[in-house]
C-alpha cells in the first residue's frame, strides 16, 4: 500500500501550494466559501501510487503540483 499523508490547510483567505514528488497521487477537498482547488498533479492508477497526499481546506486556495526536476 502507498504511504498516505493528510494535511489540514488553515490559511484563511491565503494560498497554499503543495508540491509533491513524482509518483504521488494528490487529492484536494474543501474549498469552502471563497476557496478554489486546483490539482495540477496527474491522477495515478492505484497500482502506480508510491504515496497519496490528501489536502483538506476550508477557506483558502490550494494548488497541488508535481515538482519539476
Amino acid at each position: 500500500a502507498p504511504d498516505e499523508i493528510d494535511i489540514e490547510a488553515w490559511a484563511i483567505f491565503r494560498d497554499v501550494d503543495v508540491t509533491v514528488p513524482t509518483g504521488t497521487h494528490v487529492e484536494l477537498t474543501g474549498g469552502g466559501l471563497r476557496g478554489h482547488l486546483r490539482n495540477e498533479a496527474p491522477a495515478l492508477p492505484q497500482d502506480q501510487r508510491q504515496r497519496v497526499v490528501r489536502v483538506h481546506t476550508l477557506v483558502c486556495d490550494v494548488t497541488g503540483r508535481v515538482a519539476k526536476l
Side-chain angles (χ1 to χ4, degrees), residues 34-66:
R34 297 186 60 187
H36 299 93
L37 306 176
R38 184 173 56 219
N39 193 350
E40 297 175 359
L44 296 174
Q46 277 191 313
D47 63 337
Q48 294 180 14
R49 297 176 185 178
Q50 297 173 12
R51 67 200 63 75
V52 176
V53 173
R54 292 182 188 92
V55 182
H56 313 279
T57 182
L58 183 58
V59 217
C60 62
D61 293 339
V62 178
T63 301
R65 65 177 55 99
V66 174

Side-chain angles (χ1 to χ4, degrees), residues 3-48:
D3 294 330
E4 296 185 9
I5 299 169
D6 286 291
I7 299 171
E8 289 189 29
W10 294 93
I12 307 301
F13 302 117
R14 302 291 297 185
D15 298 337
V16 174
D17 294 321
V18 178
T19 305
V20 299
T22 301
T24 303
H25 179 77
V26 177
E27 298 175 2
L28 306 177
T29 60
L33 303 170
R34 297 186 60 187
H36 299 93
L37 306 176
R38 184 173 56 219
N39 193 350
E40 297 175 359
L44 296 174
Q46 277 191 313
D47 63 337
Q48 294 180 14

